[in-house]
């Protein structure tokens, strides 16, 4: 099946620093999504990317859909303590019907030090 | 709106016991999904239902069954639990929203933490 390689696995940064993480795949995806998961909660969608080369921002978050459609990155600027959590990338493959299957990366655990 | 709700939040089973995880969504979405999350492995799709009345296997369906009871509810059943099924289980729902291009989001519930001894 399709696989996503997400890196880094974990990051420890100082408050105020910028963060960058990325996902790569051997397969092409039609859509890239970035989710954040807080402890004890389900993932919450941060940014969705639908077109190769697309660059989208959501506050301090910026994500890009790679031109080859096989990669995506997420940047967080000026990190704050509430940015702590696990960040997941997900690629979307279009299947029959209205359901869309997501392939998730293994996650990046972000810790922000005061 | 509650979004996606799951019950129970926690469960401990003995090997061989059975149980059903319940999921409901109030967003009138057509598609629903069950995932499991294991440390260092992200989320893996167990089963999904594109619409009421249909279900399909995902990446890791062995040992599970599902029922799409109606448009709102999608349950996951473990007939004979095994320690390898110790995991956090997430239900999600989605609907295609078409604007000038196809858009897609999945909304997740809070999860069920299952331990099989």
């Amino acid at each position: 099946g399709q696989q996503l390689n997400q890196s880094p696995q974990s990051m420890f940064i100082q408050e105020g620093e910028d963060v960058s993480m990325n996902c790569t795949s051997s397969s092409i995806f039609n859509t890239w999504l970035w989710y954040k998961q807080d402890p004890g909660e389900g993932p919450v969608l941060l940014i969705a990317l639908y077109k190769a080369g697309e660059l989208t921002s959501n506050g301090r978050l910026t994500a890009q859909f790679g031109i080859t459609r096989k990669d995506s990155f997420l940047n967080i600027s000026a990190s704050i303590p509430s940015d702590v959590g696990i960040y997941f990338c997900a690629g979307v493959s279009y299947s029959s019907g209205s359901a869309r299957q997501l392939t998730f990366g293994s996650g990046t655990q972000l810790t922000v030090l005061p | 709106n509650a979004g996606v709700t799951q019950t129970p939040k926690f469960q401990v089973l003995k090997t061989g016991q059975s149980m059903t995880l319940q999921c409901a969504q109030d967003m009138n979405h057509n598609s629903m999904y069950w995932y499991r999350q294991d440390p260092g492995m992200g989320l893996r799709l167990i089963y999904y239902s594109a619409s009421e009345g249909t279900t399909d296997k995902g990446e890791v369906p062995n040992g599970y069954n599902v029922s799409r009871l109606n448009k709102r509810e999608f349950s996951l059943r473990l007939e004979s639990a095994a320690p390898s099924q110790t995991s956090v289980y997430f239900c999600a729902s989605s609907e295609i929203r078409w604007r000038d291009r196809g858009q897609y989001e999945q909304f997740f519930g809070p999860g069920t933490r299952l331990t099989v001894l």
Side-chain angles (χ1 to χ4, degrees):
Chain A
Q2 296 171 317
Q3 289 187 330
L4 292 182
N5 298 308
Q6 185 171 350
S7 64
Q9 279 190 312
S10 62
M11 302 181 74
F12 292 82
I13 60 169
Q14 294 291 137
E15 185 176 352
E17 287 185 344
D18 297 345
V19 173
S20 185
M21 59 192 78
N22 68 82
C23 275
T24 60
S25 172
S26 57
S27 305
I28 289 174
F29 287 103
N30 304 101
T31 296
W32 284 92
L33 306 170
W34 284 93
Y35 283 87
K36 183 192 177 196
Q37 185 179 25
D38 292 325
E41 303 292 333
V44 174
L45 183 67
L46 297 174
I47 290 181
L49 301 158
Y50 300 102
K51 190 176 177 182
E54 181 178 355
L55 185 72
T56 296
S57 293
N58 178 7
R60 293 178 295 106
L61 278 61
T62 301
Q64 184 157 30
F65 192 149
I67 199 74
T68 65
R69 302 168 102 188
K70 294 182 177 181
D71 63 337
S72 178
F73 72 76
L74 175 70
N75 286 343
I76 305 173
S77 63
S79 59
I80 59 178
S82 62
D83 290 334
V84 167
I86 303 176
Y87 291 79
F88 290 99
C89 63
V92 182
S93 300
Y94 291 171
S95 58
S96 60
S98 62
R100 298 293 183 257
Q101 294 193 41
L102 269 64
T103 301
F104 280 85
S106 55
T108 295
Q109 173 72 62
L110 178 64
T111 302
V112 180
L113 304 172
Chain B
N1 287 351
V4 180
T5 57
Q6 293 183 236
T7 56
K9 289 210 69 160
F10 301 93
Q11 183 71 50
V12 178
L13 294 176
K14 294 181 180 178
T15 296
Q17 288 186 315
S18 62
M19 81 159 295
T20 299
L21 280 64
Q22 306 287 352
C23 173
Q25 52 92 9
D26 62 3
M27 296 174 282
N28 202 36
H29 287 169
N30 278 319
S31 301
M32 297 185 73
Y33 311 80
W34 276 105
Y35 292 88
R36 60 177 289 171
Q37 183 178 32
D38 301 298
M41 297 192 71
L43 287 88
R44 292 182 293 169
L45 184 65
I46 304 172
Y47 270 94
Y48 67 98
S49 171
S51 60
E52 187 178 353
T54 69
T55 60
D56 285 287
K57 295 179 180 179
E59 181 185 354
V60 288
N62 291 345
Y64 306 95
N65 284 303
V66 290
S67 295
R68 184 73 183 267
L69 304 171
N70 46 55
K71 190 171 184 179
R72 288 186 66 249
E73 298 171 290
F74 189 38
S75 63
L76 178 72
R77 183 160 178 84
L78 286 70
E79 290 291 350
S80 179
S84 62
Q85 294 178 305
T86 293
S87 189
V88 182
Y89 291 85
F90 288 99
C91 177
S93 71
S94 73
E95 189 63 74
I96 299 293
R97 298 204 314 261
W98 296 95
R99 296 174 187 168
D100 56 342
R101 57 190 180 190
Q103 297 197 3
Y104 174 79
E105 297 180 28
Q106 278 189 8
F107 296 86
F108 286 82
T112 294
R113 283 142 190 83
L114 175 67
T115 301
V116 183
L117 304 174

